[in-house]
Amino acid sequence: LAKRGIEEEACGIELDKDIQFTKLFPLIAKENLTQEFIHWLLNGGEGIAQKQIWLRADKLSANDISNEANLTRLQTQRLRFRSKTLKPLAVNYKRSVFYQLDLSHVASEYRRSGNALPEELPLSERPLIRARDLMFRSSFYQSTDPHKSATYEKEAFATLHDVITQSIDHGNIPKLNIYSDQIIWGRSPARLDLAGGWSDTPPFCMQFGGSVVNIAVEMNGQPPIQIFIRLSSEPVITLRSIDNGEAEVVSTYEELAQYNTVVSSFSIPKAALCLAGFHPDFCGAQFKSLKEQLSSFGGGFEMSMLSAIPKGSGLGTSSILGATILGVLSDFCSFSWNKHEIAHRTLILEQLLTAGGGWQDQYGGILSGVKLLESEPGTQEKMRVRWLPDQLFTQTEYKGNWLLYYTGITRVAKNILGEIVRGMFLNQGKVLSTVEDIKRHSKYMAELIQTGDFEGVGKMLLRSWEYNKVLDSGTSSPEIEQIIHKIADYALGYKLLGAGGGGFILICAKDNEAAARIQTSLTENPPNSKARFVKMEMSKLGFQLSRS
């Protein structure tokens, strides 16, 4: 209308200096709102009769409209029309934008209007659409029926789980690949996420692809995650945790399948063993019992695990532990999986554990050095890896400026993941837009590392931290802010690693003198008795495998 008004300026409409006060908008009687008039209004042309309607009509300015409009009535109309629109959008979801809407708002609208929920989608519908529908229903019942809401949410995660787990062949048949007196020893570094974390998390990465920059590091001169496996005479599997001082003997399929319960502290190795074919659900051959399978395999075995990283560290420990176990089992059982296959199976392992994690942790640990990791939409089997120059992290001029500090504060990543993944399912505007910004930010980080811009990289690290806080308000805490207050003047950037809330903080000091000041400040005034600096060095090898 405004465009048409401006075009008709020569026909007697005088434009005000402030367009807000120019009388451009005609008051047209209903009988004159014909298709011909609308067509002329939008497309121009001769339309003499339509033009006369325009010229003869009284005109209002934008200011007049805002002064005279009944906003309460307009809002009521808007809500009523929106409510009526939801039903046809849902019924015609295959051709509409219904499941592209912010489904948390849609659920609120259904509750407000009293509309009956649309019918549940059939099992034949695309899994990600079904998962969105289930999470939409979970959101609808969240405040009125928590049990029903939790049931729908569980179904949504199960649907995502099925999509990812079906992306590999489940017909593994383990075949013994060592001598009776040999030991296989696998070890992996930790990973530090510099930019892009969260964009690697399903379902976001499955719809839009992910992009992450991270670095593999050894700690205190060693790869911190290590696995040892050897044969034993008894047809059982013995699991040992060196760091926890715990052990468990598994002799049945039922015990092995308890990876997704709180019964066992060995959930990760149990899930990995199932994926490797030591359970009927993932084995290409049939056995009456685990003992029969182990006897056929050539004996039972012992698996000892060491994770020299505190729990809740933010260094991707759980995923890298899973990947290292799968890497060792690949060699032990004659699978010959490459690192990409190991990493993708670790993504499936995370789904089995209902952790809902992404893929950057395992890739970040088992692949060496500094790299940009990118995926395309889909089930994430393929990953593009671009190794970046490492001089900003290894040369004497810069190496001492990077500090790794354990805050002594822990937070369980699974709790954080669940809420943000829920937002991804529901197309929540804030979640999707922030994760898209985070994904884009990783490309900027990679470019600055590529060009050797140390100051720029430090500032981009701080930007990563700011993005994480936008996505999850619990990323920081008063205790964390106290630590940051002590170091901010001496640092170009810093961020809590992983999902945040605690664990390790990576600090990029302005120079060597600033790094020394940071170390002195936090060493003399630690936030708690567990807080400490940890020596780190970039890993040039990633996952390593040795035999005795």
Side-chain angles (χ1 to χ4, degrees):
L1 288 171
K3 178 177 181 291
R4 172 58 59 202
I6 292 170
E7 290 173 353
E8 298 304 321
E9 180 187 359
C11 299
I13 297 177
E14 182 179 349
L15 291 180
D16 195 283
K17 290 181 180 179
D18 187 344
I19 196 71
Q20 183 78 8
F21 295 95
T22 301
K23 295 185 180 296
L24 297 174
F25 301 94
L27 290 170
I28 306 296
K30 282 187 178 181
E31 60 268 19
N32 290 327
L33 284 175
T34 61
Q35 287 187 355
E36 292 78 12
F37 179 78
I38 299 298
H39 184 274
W40 173 83
L41 190 67
L42 296 175
N43 303 303
E46 292 300 325
I48 296 174
Q50 286 74 33
K51 189 171 185 177
Q52 288 302 314
I53 293 172
W54 170 276
L55 292 174
R56 291 171 183 165
D58 291 334
K59 308 291 192 306
L60 296 176
S61 68
N63 193 62
D64 294 332
I65 293 173
S66 65
N67 287 337
E68 297 184 21
N70 186 332
L71 298 181
T72 302
R73 185 183 66 186
L74 288 174
Q75 176 67 359
T76 301
Q77 289 175 339
R78 178 176 178 269
L79 292 175
R80 186 170 67 250
F81 293 152
R82 187 171 71 184
S83 179
K84 288 182 178 180
T85 302
L86 286 176
K87 183 176 180 180
L89 280 175
V91 170
N92 297 290
Y93 71 92
K94 288 182 178 291
R95 298 179 182 84
S96 79
V97 297
F98 186 83
Y99 288 106
Q100 298 171 41
L101 300 173
D102 185 327
L103 294 173
S104 58
H105 286 318
V106 173
S108 297
E109 180 63 23
Y110 267 88
R111 286 195 303 270
R112 184 199 65 78
S113 64
N115 280 346
L117 286 176
E119 292 185 11
E120 291 189 26
L121 299 186
L123 294 176
S124 58
E125 186 51 75
R126 286 174 297 167
L128 286 182
I129 297 294
R130 275 200 73 242
R132 276 209 177 84
D133 180 66
L134 291 164
M135 197 63 82
F136 156 64
R137 295 171 193 280
S138 171
S139 183
F140 177 83
Y141 288 111
Q142 192 169 24
S143 60
T144 59
D145 191 338
H147 176 73
K148 205 166 191 177
S149 174
T151 300
Y152 276 121
E153 179 174 312
K154 185 176 180 180
E155 287 185 49
F157 277 103
T159 302
L160 178 67
H161 153 99
D162 291 343
V163 175
I164 296 176
T165 55
Q166 289 168 11
S167 63
I168 63 165
D169 177 23
H170 294 322
N172 295 318
I173 303 177
K175 297 179 181 178
L176 187 61
N177 190 35
I178 64 169
Y179 294 106
S180 59
D181 61 345
Q182 275 189 311
I183 295 176
I184 297 179
W185 174 28
R187 53 222 182 266
S188 296
R191 72 96 187 93
L192 312 181
D193 58 303
L194 304 180
W198 290 116
S199 74
D200 64 306
T201 306
F204 181 90
C205 61
M206 297 175 72
Q207 185 173 3
F208 304 106
S211 178
V212 175
V213 175
N214 62 29
I215 177 172
V217 295
E218 295 182 355
M219 301 172 67
N220 295 321
Q222 294 290 333
I225 298 172
Q226 306 198 17
I227 308 296
F228 306 85
I229 193 167
R230 55 172 298 198
L231 281 171
S232 63
S233 56
E234 293 293 318
V236 295
I237 301 172
T238 303
L239 303 173
R240 291 191 176 90
S241 171
I242 297 172
D243 48 297
N244 290 331
E246 297 180 2
E248 183 175 340
V249 177
V250 178
S251 58
T252 68
Y253 287 137
E254 290 73 22
E255 291 171 339
L256 202 58
Q258 290 175 345
Y259 52 76
N260 59 355
T261 71
V262 296
V263 174
S264 171
S265 59
F266 292 96
S267 295
I268 293 174
K270 285 183 177 182
L273 287 163
C274 288
L275 272 178
F278 289 101
H279 190 277
D281 291 347
F282 301 92
C283 186
Q286 294 298 312
F287 299 94
K288 293 179 180 178
S289 66
L290 178 60
K291 287 189 174 183
E292 181 185 338
Q293 182 175 357
L294 291 173
S295 297
S296 174
F297 176 70
F301 52 89
E302 299 175 5
M303 182 187 295
S304 299
M305 293 157 281
L306 169 64
S307 178
I309 306 176
K311 290 183 178 179
S313 66
L315 302 187
T317 311
S318 297
S319 296
I320 299 172
L321 176 65
T324 308
I325 293 172
L326 288 172
V328 168
L329 288 173
S330 171
D331 191 45
F332 184 62
C333 301
S334 309
F335 295 138
S336 301
W337 295 328
N338 61 35
K339 289 183 177 180
H340 286 270
E341 291 172 316
I342 291 168
H344 183 63
R345 280 172 166 77
T346 306
L347 179 64
I348 295 169
L349 184 149
E350 292 282 355
Q351 295 299 318
L352 293 179
L353 296 173
T354 68
W359 43 253
Q360 79 135 323
D361 294 347
Q362 55 265 35
Y363 276 102
I366 65 177
L367 298 181
S368 63
V370 190
K371 57 269 181 191
L372 171 65
L373 301 162
E374 298 177 286
S375 71
E376 295 295 330
T379 48
Q380 308 297 285
E381 294 102 322
K382 297 180 180 179
M383 200 66 51
R384 291 193 303 273
V385 184
R386 192 174 95 199
W387 271 271
L388 302 172
D390 61 24
Q391 61 262 32
L392 295 183
F393 305 92
T394 58
Q395 288 185 355
T396 305
E397 180 183 357
Y398 303 112
K399 184 177 178 181
N401 298 345
W402 293 98
L403 304 173
L404 187 61
Y405 185 70
Y406 179 57
T407 65
I409 304 165
T410 59
R411 184 183 181 200
V412 180
K414 183 176 178 180
N415 298 337
I416 311 167
L417 270 169
E419 193 57 35
I420 292 177
V421 171
R422 181 184 176 86
M424 292 175 178
F425 274 121
L426 292 170
N427 299 321
Q428 288 180 352
K430 177 186 173 182
V431 172
L432 292 187
S433 62
T434 304
V435 178
E436 189 59 47
D437 287 341
I438 287 171
K439 175 183 172 182
R440 192 180 304 113
H441 173 65
S442 71
K443 309 289 183 67
Y444 300 147
M445 175 68 86
E447 289 175 9
L448 291 171
I449 293 174
Q450 189 75 46
T451 57
D453 185 346
F454 176 73
E455 183 175 346
V457 169
K459 291 179 178 179
M460 285 293 103
L461 185 70
L462 181 58
R463 181 69 61 84
S464 294
W465 170 240
E466 296 296 336
Y467 276 133
N468 283 6
K469 289 196 291 184
V470 170
L471 190 61
D472 173 29
S473 60
T475 293
S476 190
S477 67
E479 294 82 3
I480 297 299
E481 292 301 322
Q482 286 179 7
I483 296 172
I484 289 173
H485 179 72
K486 294 176 182 177
I487 67 173
D489 290 342
Y490 308 110
L492 290 170
Y494 40 79
K495 77 179 289 285
L496 283 176
L497 298 167
F504 281 85
I505 183 171
L506 178 64
I507 306 167
C508 179
K510 293 178 178 178
D511 51 41
N512 288 337
E513 182 181 347
R517 287 177 177 270
I518 291 171
Q519 288 178 301
T520 299
S521 176
L522 292 180
T523 301
E524 293 180 353
N525 301 284
N528 54 65
S529 60
K530 295 181 180 179
R532 60 191 181 272
F533 283 96
V534 175
K535 292 182 180 179
M536 66 170 179
E537 187 167 344
M538 191 195 76
S539 170
K540 297 182 179 180
L541 297 173
F543 171 65
Q544 303 169 66
L545 200 64
S546 304
R547 287 171 173 247
S548 62

